[in-house]
Amino acid sequence: MNQQVIVAGGGIGGLACALALARSGVSTVLLEQAAAFGEVGAGLQLGPNATRVLADWGLSDALQACAAFPEALHVRDAHRGADLGQLRLGAMAIARHGQPYATLHRADLHSLLLAAVQEHGLTELRLDTRLASFSESPDGVAATLHDSSTLTGAALLGCDGLWSRVRSQLLGPQPVRASGHLAYRGMVRTADLPVALRANVVTAWLGPRMHVVHYPVRGGEWMNVVAVVHGVLGQGHGGEPGSDPQAWTHEARAADLQRALGPACTDLMAMIDAVPPWALWALNDRPAMGGAQEQAQGRVALVGDAAHPLRPYLAQGAAMAIEDAWTLGRILKPARARDNWPKALALFADTRWQRNARVQQHSQRNGRIFHATGLVRWGRDTAMRWLGERLLDNPWLYDGPPEPAQDPTLSPHAKRKT
């Protein structure tokens, strides 16, 4: 059986896995169903836990060339415009957590990882190729592709996102969960904004049943804007009734967004009005992970959204996929770890699933807090004013990822069984 690893999916998680494995001397064949590499979407945030991994991979300079590094997170009331709290980032993030807090365009992160994968040269990239099914034997995994051809490998990594085919076969058909939230996404040149809105900060506007986040990307030349509101596609929010639920983007109308935001303050409306086109995404997820078996079984593992899709209320979707990849690379660093793929992937799952579940739970909780009404909203605002940075910082998260536990049977110093 071929000792290469099959990676299904060429997004951020798939490229991160290919890079992590290449750095550990493991060759991969990466399957991407699109005809060309690229990323949909707009911006993303990388906390110190994710930039720590990129630094370990030698990518700090590449990140510096394409990202922005905000000085602070400002939380404001979407209706009144009042300041609710702030968290210092910039130099303070480095002082607290040892690494910077970065914001960047999703396509720039994807390009950065793709270039690193190509530089290492241990990954075969196959475009316009989709995994249809797989079978596992004691010696490896056989993947059947969309054209009925087959491919063999020592293991299979499902990095194929929320609607993962690998997950469906590994865990059985489990419908995704509609959140009832919609994300309007757009970008605007910073130079086209009013001066008061050009600051190098992440700003989160909180209001009843909605919130808006904007932050700089591409070295500060652009501002990424995301507005999340309650609603359903085709019912007052773009799209068409019966639209493909797996489609990433749908038609968006600025008037629908403005109506959903309600009586927004002057600064927020100036930002909304400045964005020329909007794209509309329906936000879906799954319940938080319930055990290691949802991350890996036998010679098959799930990575990123295929295992633990996240709502965007903790800004950790890309970071958790990157952490997954880094952890797997660390486990596979000793050559002997590749002699027992089921054990290596079991250690990976044991290391990752509880942290991933915690992030999923915190993301869901943050969504309820961000969109709170009535007394809960009042309590949130009061707590933020009194506790400030202690409430907004997340040391348990930003000081990660945790090192995988040591398994002596996978150690380079372990005695081989006879």
Side-chain angles (χ1 to χ4, degrees), residues 80 109 295 330:
R80 297 181 292 112
L109 176 60
Q295 189 95 51
R330 298 286 284 186

Side-chain angles (χ1 to χ4, degrees), residues 186-218:
M187 292 183 65
V188 58
R189 286 188 179 276
T190 305
D192 294 337
L193 291 170
V195 174
L197 297 176
R198 299 179 189 177
N200 182 32
V201 298
V202 179
T203 303
W205 304 85
L206 308 185
R209 297 168 59 84
M210 53 76 68
H211 80 280
V212 179
V213 178
H214 53 78
Y215 49 81
V217 297
R218 294 191 161 161

Side-chain angles (χ1 to χ4, degrees), residues 254-409:
D256 295 339
L257 172 58
Q258 291 170 350
R259 183 174 56 253
L261 293 179
C265 69
T266 302
D267 281 353
L268 176 53
M269 285 313 302
M271 178 64 75
I272 297 299
D273 291 342
V275 177
W278 291 96
L280 179 61
W281 294 28
L283 299 181
N284 302 297
D285 69 353
R286 298 183 185 275
M289 300 182 77
Q293 76 282 355
E294 295 181 29
Q295 189 95 51
Q297 295 181 26
R299 292 175 176 268
V300 181
L302 302 174
V303 172
D305 283 353
H308 43 79
L310 289 163
R311 298 185 185 183
Y313 310 130
L314 196 57
Q316 284 289 312
M320 287 300 105
I322 290 170
E323 283 196 11
D324 280 351
W326 179 85
T327 301
L328 188 54
R330 298 286 284 186
I331 290 169
L332 294 171
K333 196 76 172 177
R336 185 157 298 170
R338 303 160 219 163
D339 293 342
N340 193 332
W341 278 96
K343 180 168 282 190
L345 294 183
L347 178 57
F348 163 70
D350 286 341
T351 303
R352 291 299 303 162
W353 83 266
Q354 293 183 66
R355 180 171 170 86
N356 286 327
R358 185 179 182 184
V359 172
Q360 287 179 293
Q361 292 161 353
H362 275 254
S363 298
Q364 294 166 18
R365 184 202 67 179
N366 277 4
R368 294 189 293 271
I369 294 173
F370 287 2
H371 294 194
T373 60
L375 288 176
V376 176
R377 182 187 182 196
W378 177 86
R380 174 201 69 198
D381 294 351
T382 302
M384 205 168 293
R385 281 192 293 269
W386 281 98
L387 296 177
E389 293 195 335
R390 288 165 53 195
L391 189 65
L392 294 170
D393 200 11
N394 292 291
W396 67 270
L397 177 61
Y398 295 148
D399 289 341
E403 283 279 357
Q406 295 298 310
D407 185 330
T409 64

Side-chain angles (χ1 to χ4, degrees), residues 32-56:
E32 169 52 43
Q33 65 180 357
F37 279 111
E39 263 291 349
V40 297
L44 54 80
Q45 303 178 59
L46 292 181
N49 53 312
T51 58
R52 178 172 293 108
V53 171
L54 296 183
D56 185 59

